[in-house]
């Protein structure tokens, strides 16, 4: 699939970091690197009471908001909605750290900052306007694929979020998340449990980091990574991406870090795109014994940090159950299946779904995604402080 840059937004840069100064430095570096391209900053933080100062500081330093008359920034919760000029696309950036179990300020609330209600209305309006929506956030729903029983969202928020995604699936063009530092994805299925309706694409981090969680399955660290998404303007859900990385074991004082292409999703997995249907069919193939697709996926899961590592038994079961079971109860049932029916074999409750006919794009664009460090001193990433800059 060949793509040309979109005339209004050739690249969308997204970053996450913790310290205010680091966010400013990193974003400035990227803006200097691509001065004529759009950028989106995602900064990690927990305390809602400290949001306004951070937003105003970065806004003053990086963005002249007067240039963006269509920009809506929700300062009380750090989430917003923005139409993308010249397209039928809308970006909705959510603050999913409100739903994160380490945020002790929100666990007793029904709808932190009213974001669920706001999101529901934004999606309803987008549907009425015939828009496709790209949903961008930091912490993803579901289970962490490197751990048998670790999830991020409070259970009630996981249910409500996923129900909203199912409700508005027809209007979603793509979902882009980070936080894990790993390269993975999640599938959300419709009410019948067999038809994929949405895919959560989880980009790996530019920060090399090993999780502090105990009892992980397999290795749990990554090489630095940056991802370039390609989208077709006429059919924006027809996404693909190129994953770039830097091999830390090859770097030294005498040999600077070199960025290289790691893989292109459609090529390495032999799929037409990274739509829910294509990723569902890929996952079905990954369940087979000695699946070449799963070996490739697992290598890339850690950004080629441990390329020869074997993941089978519980490791493979946890990975695949996490991908296909976004609801916690479904995930637990999947992992606790008898060995003869779990994902160490080809047995599956799902079936391969025939992809719809691809629509050749008349024009297209790119989304450049870079998820950087979330927290070193803390075992949590954080709230999204969104900043959009479109030229």
């Amino acid at each position: 699939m060949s793509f040309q840059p979109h005339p209004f937004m050739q690249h969308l840069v997204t970053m996450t970091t913790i310290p205010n100064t680091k966010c400013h430095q990193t974003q400035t570096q990227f803006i200097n690197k691509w001065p004529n391209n759009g950028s989106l900053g995602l900064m990690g933080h927990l305390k809602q009471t400290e949001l306004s100062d951070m937003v105003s500081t970065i806004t003053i330093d990086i963005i002249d908001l007067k240039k963006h008359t269509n920009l809506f920034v929700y300062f009380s919760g750090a989430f917003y909605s923005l139409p993308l000029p010249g397209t039928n696309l809308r970006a909705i950036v959510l603050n999913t750290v409100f739903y994160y179990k380490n945020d002790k300020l929100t666990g007793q609330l029904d709808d932190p900052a009213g974001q669920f209600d706001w999101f529901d209305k934004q999606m309803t309006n987008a549907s009425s306007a015939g828009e496709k929506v790209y949903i961008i956030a930091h912490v993803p729903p579901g289970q962490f694929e490197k751990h048998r029983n670790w999830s991020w969202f409070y259970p009630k928020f996981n249910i409500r979020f996923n129900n909203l995604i199912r409700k508005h699936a027809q209007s979603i063009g793509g979902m882009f998340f980070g936080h894990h530092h790993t390269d993975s994805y999640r599938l959300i299925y419709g009410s019948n449990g067999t038809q994929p309706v949405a895919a959560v694409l989880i980009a790996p981090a530019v920060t090399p980091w090993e999780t502090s969680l105990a009892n992980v399955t397999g290795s749990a660290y990554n090489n630095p990574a940056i991802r370039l998404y390609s989208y077709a303007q006429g059919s924006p859900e027809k996404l693909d991406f190129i994953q770039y990385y830097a091999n830390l074991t090859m770097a030294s004082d005498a040999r600077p870090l070199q960025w290289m292409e790691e893989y292109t999703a459609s090529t390495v997995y032999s799929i037409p795109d990274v739509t829910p249907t294509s990723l569902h069919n890929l996952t079905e193939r990954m369940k087979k014994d000695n699946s070449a697709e799963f070996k490739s996926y697992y290598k890339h899961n850690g950004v080629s940090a441990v390329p020869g590592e074997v993941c089978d038994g519980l490791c493979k079961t946890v990975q695949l159950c996490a991908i296909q079971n976004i609801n916690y109860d479904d995930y637990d049932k999947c992992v606790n299946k008898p060995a003869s029916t779990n994902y160490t074999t080809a047995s599956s409750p799902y079936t391969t779904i025939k992809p719809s006919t691809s629509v050749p794009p008349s024009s297209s664009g790119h989304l450049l995604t870079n998820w950087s460090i979330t927290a070193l001193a803390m075992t949590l990433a954080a709230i999204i402080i969104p900043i959009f800059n479109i030229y």
Side-chain angles (χ1 to χ4, degrees):
M1 186 179 294
S2 176
F3 291 91
Q4 297 298 320
H6 188 278
F8 290 99
M9 186 178 67
Q10 295 181 4
H11 296 91
L12 175 69
V13 181
T14 48
M15 287 164 287
T16 61
T17 190
I18 279 290
N20 218 9
T21 54
K22 286 294 184 182
C23 182
H24 176 249
Q25 292 168 5
T26 307
Q27 181 118 4
T28 301
Q29 288 173 0
F30 273 81
I31 290 175
N32 291 339
K33 178 72 173 177
W34 294 288
N36 297 318
N37 300 320
S39 66
L40 170 67
L42 304 179
M43 185 176 70
H45 212 278
L46 272 183
K47 295 182 180 179
Q48 183 179 357
T49 55
E50 297 180 11
L51 289 180
S52 6
D53 289 341
M54 292 188 296
V55 171
S56 59
T57 298
I58 301 175
T59 299
I60 290 170
D61 287 348
I62 298 178
I63 292 180
D64 180 359
L65 286 177
K66 290 183 290 186
K67 294 180 181 178
H68 311 290
T69 56
N70 293 323
L71 180 62
F72 174 72
V73 180
Y74 198 87
F75 284 97
S76 67
F79 48 89
Y80 66 87
S81 173
L82 180 72
L84 304 186
T87 76
N88 68 332
L89 283 168
R90 173 171 294 274
I92 294 181
V93 178
L94 298 175
N95 176 4
T96 53
V97 175
F98 281 145
Y99 314 138
Y100 186 30
K101 291 187 296 186
N102 278 25
D103 189 344
K104 306 305 180 185
L105 302 177
T106 61
Q108 302 303 315
L109 303 177
D110 292 327
D111 186 5
Q115 182 175 226
F116 279 132
D117 183 62
W118 175 87
F119 177 47
D120 190 13
K121 292 176 181 177
Q122 288 290 317
M123 292 300 300
T124 298
N125 293 340
S127 177
S128 298
E131 294 176 325
K132 285 288 187 179
V133 176
Y134 283 159
I135 297 170
I136 305 167
H138 185 73
V139 183
Q143 300 284 147
F144 182 34
E145 78 278 0
K146 290 284 191 179
H147 199 283
R148 163 64 184 83
N149 54 5
W150 190 266
S151 59
W152 311 112
F153 281 18
Y154 286 100
K156 63 180 180 180
F157 294 149
N158 194 66
I159 292 171
R160 188 167 180 182
F161 180 86
N162 294 324
N163 285 343
L164 281 174
I165 297 303
R166 292 184 183 95
K167 176 181 177 180
H168 297 290
Q170 293 299 315
S171 297
I172 296 174
M175 300 175 66
F176 311 98
F177 288 72
H179 185 66
H180 286 197
H181 288 240
T182 59
D183 183 338
S184 191
Y185 61 93
R186 299 291 177 269
L187 292 169
I188 298 178
Y189 290 84
S191 57
N192 63 4
T194 60
Q195 181 71 34
V197 297
V200 177
L201 302 174
I202 303 174
V206 74
T207 307
W209 180 73
E210 183 172 9
T211 180
S212 58
L213 295 174
N215 302 317
V216 294
T217 56
S219 60
Y221 53 91
N222 62 286
N223 274 317
I226 189 168
R227 176 174 293 183
L228 178 68
Y229 285 103
S230 299
Y231 68 96
Q233 185 183 355
S235 186
E237 71 278 2
K238 300 293 184 182
L239 291 161
D240 198 358
F241 64 80
I242 303 174
Q243 187 65 56
Y244 296 92
Y245 83 116
N247 191 329
L248 290 180
T249 61
M250 296 173 60
S252 65
D253 291 339
R255 185 176 183 179
L257 201 64
Q258 298 294 318
W259 287 92
M260 303 168 285
E261 180 177 332
E262 187 185 18
Y263 72 97
T264 299
S266 60
T267 301
V268 75
Y269 295 127
S270 299
I271 54 179
D273 44 47
V274 290
T275 57
T277 294
S278 295
L279 291 175
H280 166 88
N281 291 337
L282 169 64
T283 308
E284 291 305 300
R285 298 199 304 272
M286 292 199 302
K287 295 174 185 176
K288 297 178 180 178
D289 290 334
N290 299 314
S291 165
E293 291 91 344
F294 180 78
K295 291 177 182 178
S296 181
Y297 159 81
Y298 189 71
K299 171 188 172 183
H300 299 138
N301 184 235
V303 196
S304 298
V306 191
E309 183 180 11
V310 175
C311 176
D312 54 18
L314 180 62
C315 176
K316 183 175 182 179
T317 295
V318 167
Q319 285 276 350
L320 295 174
C321 286
I323 288 173
Q324 287 194 308
N325 297 273
I326 202 87
N327 290 329
Y328 297 159
D329 290 345
D330 294 338
Y331 170 82
D332 288 337
K333 292 175 184 177
C334 176
V335 172
N336 291 324
K337 286 180 180 178
S340 61
T341 59
N342 68 17
Y343 287 154
T344 60
T345 73
S347 176
S348 169
Y350 301 104
T351 57
T352 299
I353 297 172
K354 184 178 180 180
S356 59
T357 303
S358 176
V359 177
S362 56
S363 58
S364 56
H366 295 107
L367 295 161
L368 183 62
T369 306
N370 163 30
W371 301 94
S372 71
I373 189 168
T374 53
L376 293 177
M378 299 180 288
T379 61
L380 44 101
I383 240 167
I384 297 172
I385 303 296
I387 302 168
F388 226 117
N389 192 8
I390 296 182
Y391 297 84

